[in-house]
Amino acid sequence: MDNYVTGALIRKLRESSNLTQEELARKVCVSSKAISKWETGRGFPDIGLVEPLAKALGISVIELLSGVDIRNKNRSSDMKRCKFYVCPVCGNIIQTTGEAVISCCGLTLPPLEAEAPDDDHAIHMEIVEDEYYVTLDHPMTKTHYISFLAAVSDQGIQLVKLYPEGGAETRFKINRTERIYACCNRHGLFALSLSKRRHGYA
Ligand SMILES: [Fe+2]
Protein backbone atom coordinates (compact mmCIF):
# COMPACT_ATOMS: atom_id res chain seq x y z
CA MET A 1 0.00 0.00 0.00
CA ASP A 2 1.66 3.20 -1.09
CA ASN A 3 -0.71 5.62 0.67
CA TYR A 4 -2.17 6.19 4.08
CA VAL A 5 -5.50 7.62 5.16
CA THR A 6 -5.82 11.24 4.07
CA GLY A 7 -7.53 13.92 6.10
CA ALA A 8 -9.37 15.26 3.06
CA LEU A 9 -10.99 11.88 2.46
CA ILE A 10 -12.00 11.50 6.12
CA ARG A 11 -13.66 14.92 6.04
CA LYS A 12 -15.38 14.27 2.71
CA LEU A 13 -16.75 10.91 3.85
CA ARG A 14 -17.78 12.23 7.25
CA GLU A 15 -19.65 15.14 5.69
CA SER A 16 -21.31 12.96 3.08
CA SER A 17 -22.43 10.65 5.91
CA ASN A 18 -23.91 13.68 7.73
CA LEU A 19 -21.77 13.03 10.79
CA THR A 20 -20.31 15.73 13.01
CA GLN A 21 -16.74 15.35 14.24
CA GLU A 22 -18.20 14.49 17.65
CA GLU A 23 -20.44 11.77 16.22
CA LEU A 24 -17.61 10.21 14.25
CA ALA A 25 -15.35 10.44 17.29
CA ARG A 26 -17.89 8.50 19.37
CA LYS A 27 -18.16 5.75 16.75
CA VAL A 28 -14.39 5.31 16.61
CA CYS A 29 -13.88 5.82 20.37
CA VAL A 30 -11.53 8.79 20.05
CA SER A 31 -11.88 12.49 20.90
CA SER A 32 -13.37 14.99 18.47
CA LYS A 33 -10.03 16.78 18.71
CA ALA A 34 -8.36 13.70 17.22
CA ILE A 35 -10.79 13.72 14.28
CA SER A 36 -10.09 17.41 13.73
CA LYS A 37 -6.34 16.74 13.71
CA TRP A 38 -6.67 13.95 11.16
CA GLU A 39 -8.87 16.04 8.89
CA THR A 40 -6.46 18.96 8.92
CA GLY A 41 -3.38 16.85 8.36
CA ARG A 42 -1.95 17.43 11.83
CA GLY A 43 -2.00 13.75 12.68
CA PHE A 44 -2.78 10.28 11.40
CA PRO A 45 -5.16 7.72 12.85
CA ASP A 46 -3.29 4.83 14.45
CA ILE A 47 -3.24 1.75 12.21
CA GLY A 48 -5.43 -0.02 14.76
CA LEU A 49 -8.15 2.58 14.15
CA VAL A 50 -8.27 2.22 10.40
CA GLU A 51 -10.77 -0.62 10.44
CA PRO A 52 -13.29 0.99 12.86
CA LEU A 53 -12.83 4.30 11.02
CA ALA A 54 -13.60 2.67 7.66
CA LYS A 55 -16.64 0.98 9.18
CA ALA A 56 -17.91 4.22 10.69
CA LEU A 57 -17.50 5.99 7.33
CA GLY A 58 -19.17 3.18 5.38
CA ILE A 59 -16.15 2.44 3.21
CA SER A 60 -13.80 -0.50 2.82
CA VAL A 61 -10.36 -0.45 4.45
CA ILE A 62 -8.66 -0.64 1.06
CA GLU A 63 -10.62 2.36 -0.23
CA LEU A 64 -9.77 4.33 2.87
CA LEU A 65 -6.08 3.51 2.59
CA SER A 66 -5.86 4.17 -1.14
CA GLY A 67 -7.71 7.47 -0.86
CA VAL A 68 -10.11 6.44 -3.61
CA ASP A 69 -13.78 6.67 -2.77
CA ILE A 70 -15.44 4.21 -5.12
CA ARG A 71 -18.79 4.15 -3.34
CA ASN A 72 -21.78 4.63 -5.60
CA LYS A 73 -19.71 5.02 -8.74
CA ASN A 74 -20.26 1.42 -9.82
CA ARG A 75 -24.03 1.33 -9.60
CA SER A 76 -24.33 2.01 -13.27
CA SER A 77 -21.13 0.25 -14.24
CA ASP A 78 -21.21 -0.91 -17.81
CA MET A 79 -18.84 -2.15 -20.42
CA LYS A 80 -18.19 1.36 -21.71
CA ARG A 81 -16.35 2.00 -18.47
CA CYS A 82 -14.35 -1.19 -18.63
CA LYS A 83 -10.74 -0.79 -17.63
CA PHE A 84 -7.66 -2.93 -17.96
CA TYR A 85 -4.86 -3.27 -15.44
CA VAL A 86 -1.60 -5.11 -16.07
CA CYS A 87 0.79 -6.00 -13.27
CA PRO A 88 4.33 -5.08 -14.38
CA VAL A 89 5.80 -7.69 -12.05
CA CYS A 90 3.85 -10.88 -12.82
CA GLY A 91 1.98 -9.93 -16.00
CA ASN A 92 -1.44 -10.52 -14.42
CA ILE A 93 -4.22 -8.95 -16.52
CA ILE A 94 -7.23 -7.66 -14.60
CA GLN A 95 -10.34 -6.22 -16.19
CA THR A 96 -13.11 -4.32 -14.42
CA THR A 97 -16.43 -2.81 -15.47
CA GLY A 98 -16.18 0.24 -13.20
CA GLU A 99 -14.05 2.08 -10.70
CA ALA A 100 -11.88 -0.18 -8.55
CA VAL A 101 -8.73 -0.23 -6.50
CA ILE A 102 -6.57 -2.98 -7.96
CA SER A 103 -3.43 -4.29 -6.30
CA CYS A 104 -1.11 -7.03 -7.46
CA CYS A 105 2.35 -8.05 -6.25
CA GLY A 106 2.17 -5.28 -3.63
CA LEU A 107 1.57 -2.52 -6.19
CA THR A 108 -1.56 -0.44 -6.61
CA LEU A 109 -2.09 -0.57 -10.36
CA PRO A 110 -3.31 2.39 -12.41
CA PRO A 111 -5.79 1.58 -15.18
CA LEU A 112 -4.20 1.47 -18.63
CA GLU A 113 -5.07 4.49 -20.75
CA ALA A 114 -5.98 3.45 -24.26
CA GLU A 115 -4.66 5.44 -27.20
CA ALA A 116 -5.69 5.37 -30.84
CA PRO A 117 -3.54 2.84 -32.69
CA ASP A 118 -0.39 4.32 -34.25
CA ASP A 119 1.32 2.98 -37.36
CA ASP A 120 3.30 0.40 -35.40
CA HIS A 121 0.20 -0.86 -33.61
CA ALA A 122 -2.44 -0.68 -36.32
CA ILE A 123 -5.23 -3.15 -35.60
CA HIS A 124 -6.38 -4.93 -38.76
CA MET A 125 -9.76 -6.58 -38.84
CA GLU A 126 -11.66 -8.65 -41.31
CA ILE A 127 -14.93 -10.50 -40.98
CA VAL A 128 -14.62 -14.25 -41.42
CA GLU A 129 -18.03 -15.94 -41.16
CA ASP A 130 -19.46 -14.78 -37.81
CA GLU A 131 -16.13 -13.68 -36.38
CA TYR A 132 -13.73 -10.77 -36.52
CA TYR A 133 -10.26 -11.94 -37.48
CA VAL A 134 -7.94 -9.45 -35.76
CA THR A 135 -4.26 -9.12 -36.57
CA LEU A 136 -1.41 -6.72 -35.90
CA ASP A 137 1.80 -6.43 -37.84
CA HIS A 138 3.85 -6.23 -34.68
CA PRO A 139 6.92 -8.02 -33.22
CA MET A 140 6.22 -11.02 -31.00
CA THR A 141 9.65 -11.39 -29.40
CA LYS A 142 10.31 -12.08 -25.73
CA THR A 143 11.04 -8.42 -25.07
CA HIS A 144 8.45 -6.74 -27.28
CA TYR A 145 5.10 -8.33 -27.99
CA ILE A 146 1.33 -7.94 -27.93
CA SER A 147 0.33 -9.34 -24.54
CA PHE A 148 -3.41 -9.52 -25.08
CA LEU A 149 -6.23 -8.68 -27.44
CA ALA A 150 -9.75 -7.94 -26.25
CA ALA A 151 -13.13 -7.27 -27.83
CA VAL A 152 -15.64 -5.29 -25.80
CA SER A 153 -19.36 -5.13 -26.54
CA ASP A 154 -22.18 -3.70 -24.47
CA GLN A 155 -22.73 -7.23 -23.17
CA GLY A 156 -19.31 -8.42 -22.21
CA ILE A 157 -15.69 -8.89 -23.03
CA GLN A 158 -13.66 -11.46 -24.90
CA LEU A 159 -10.02 -11.40 -23.85
CA VAL A 160 -7.28 -13.49 -25.41
CA LYS A 161 -3.82 -13.70 -23.85
CA LEU A 162 -1.00 -13.80 -26.37
CA TYR A 163 2.54 -15.02 -25.89
CA PRO A 164 5.98 -14.19 -27.34
CA GLU A 165 6.84 -16.28 -30.40
CA GLY A 166 3.11 -16.73 -31.09
CA GLY A 167 1.03 -14.79 -33.59
CA ALA A 168 -0.34 -11.30 -32.97
CA GLU A 169 -3.78 -12.49 -34.02
CA THR A 170 -7.03 -13.96 -32.79
CA ARG A 171 -10.71 -14.33 -33.63
CA PHE A 172 -13.61 -12.80 -31.78
CA LYS A 173 -17.32 -13.53 -32.06
CA ILE A 174 -18.84 -10.41 -33.63
CA ASN A 175 -21.60 -10.20 -31.01
CA ARG A 176 -22.15 -6.40 -30.96
CA THR A 177 -18.45 -5.67 -30.49
CA GLU A 178 -17.83 -1.95 -30.07
CA ARG A 179 -14.12 -1.79 -29.43
CA ILE A 180 -11.04 -3.89 -30.04
CA TYR A 181 -8.09 -3.48 -27.69
CA ALA A 182 -4.48 -4.50 -28.22
CA CYS A 183 -1.91 -4.26 -25.44
CA CYS A 184 1.79 -3.99 -26.24
CA ASN A 185 4.12 -4.79 -23.35
CA ARG A 186 6.30 -1.80 -24.27
CA HIS A 187 3.95 0.74 -25.76
CA GLY A 188 0.74 0.27 -23.78
CA LEU A 189 -2.90 -0.12 -24.69
CA PHE A 190 -4.44 0.75 -28.06
CA ALA A 191 -8.15 0.83 -28.82
CA LEU A 192 -9.97 0.70 -32.12
CA SER A 193 -13.55 1.97 -31.92
CA LEU A 194 -15.78 0.08 -34.34
CA SER A 195 -18.75 2.42 -34.05
CA LYS A 196 -16.49 5.28 -35.20
CA ARG A 197 -15.24 3.15 -38.04
CA ARG A 198 -18.79 2.36 -39.08
CA HIS A 199 -19.50 6.07 -39.18
CA GLY A 200 -16.38 6.75 -41.18
CA TYR A 201 -14.37 8.67 -38.57
CA ALA A 202 -11.38 6.36 -38.58
FE1 LIG B 1 4.86 -2.21 -29.49
Side-chain angles (χ1 to χ4, degrees):
M1 202 58 63
D2 48 16
N3 289 314
Y4 198 64
V5 184
T6 68
L9 183 65
I10 295 173
R11 168 162 284 175
K12 186 175 147 214
L13 292 170
R14 177 179 63 74
E15 288 175 350
S16 66
S17 302
N18 290 320
L19 291 171
T20 63
Q21 289 186 339
E22 289 73 25
E23 286 166 335
L24 180 60
R26 265 201 299 280
K27 281 174 180 264
V28 188
C29 298
V30 296
S31 66
S32 55
K33 218 173 191 175
I35 303 283
S36 168
K37 278 187 183 170
W38 301 343
E39 289 186 355
T40 51
R42 288 176 293 136
F44 287 113
D46 181 85
I47 188 75
L49 292 172
V50 170
E51 199 176 343
L53 182 60
K55 203 174 165 194
L57 293 169
I59 195 171
S60 69
V61 168
I62 194 157
E63 286 170 284
L64 189 60
L65 288 174
S66 66
V68 180
D69 175 11
I70 59 179
R71 295 181 313 170
N72 302 325
K73 287 188 186 163
N74 290 335
R75 288 197 181 153
S76 58
S77 72
D78 61 36
M79 297 312 297
K80 286 195 183 75
R81 298 187 194 183
C82 91
K83 292 182 169 62
F84 296 94
Y85 301 78
V86 175
C87 175
V89 179
C90 71
N92 195 5
I93 302 166
I94 301 135
Q95 180 261 319
T96 66
T97 57
E99 297 298 323
V101 178
I102 302 293
S103 296
C104 190
C105 294
L107 296 170
T108 301
L109 305 178
L112 298 180
E113 286 180 26
E115 297 170 48
D118 58 20
D119 289 347
D120 293 333
H121 300 87
I123 300 171
H124 306 291
M125 251 179 40
E126 61 180 285
I127 294 173
V128 180
E129 295 168 357
D130 61 342
E131 292 180 320
Y132 285 128
Y133 175 53
V134 177
T135 56
L136 283 91
D137 185 14
H138 186 277
M140 289 296 279
T141 66
K142 282 185 179 139
T143 54
H144 185 197
Y145 62 100
I146 300 297
S147 58
F148 70 83
L149 291 170
V152 175
S153 76
D154 56 349
Q155 297 176 319
I157 180 163
Q158 304 167 70
L159 191 146
V160 176
K161 178 89 182 81
L162 301 180
Y163 296 92
E165 318 296 348
E169 60 179 13
T170 196
R171 286 168 185 256
F172 294 115
K173 290 278 174 213
I174 290 178
N175 197 21
R176 297 164 62 151
T177 296
E178 292 177 353
R179 265 167 296 151
I180 303 279
Y181 289 93
C183 186
C184 167
N185 73 319
R186 279 198 190 179
H187 300 109
L189 188 65
F190 298 91
L192 179 68
S193 170
L194 304 191
S195 51
K196 277 187 184 169
R197 261 169 67 104
R198 276 199 292 271
H199 291 100
Y201 297 130

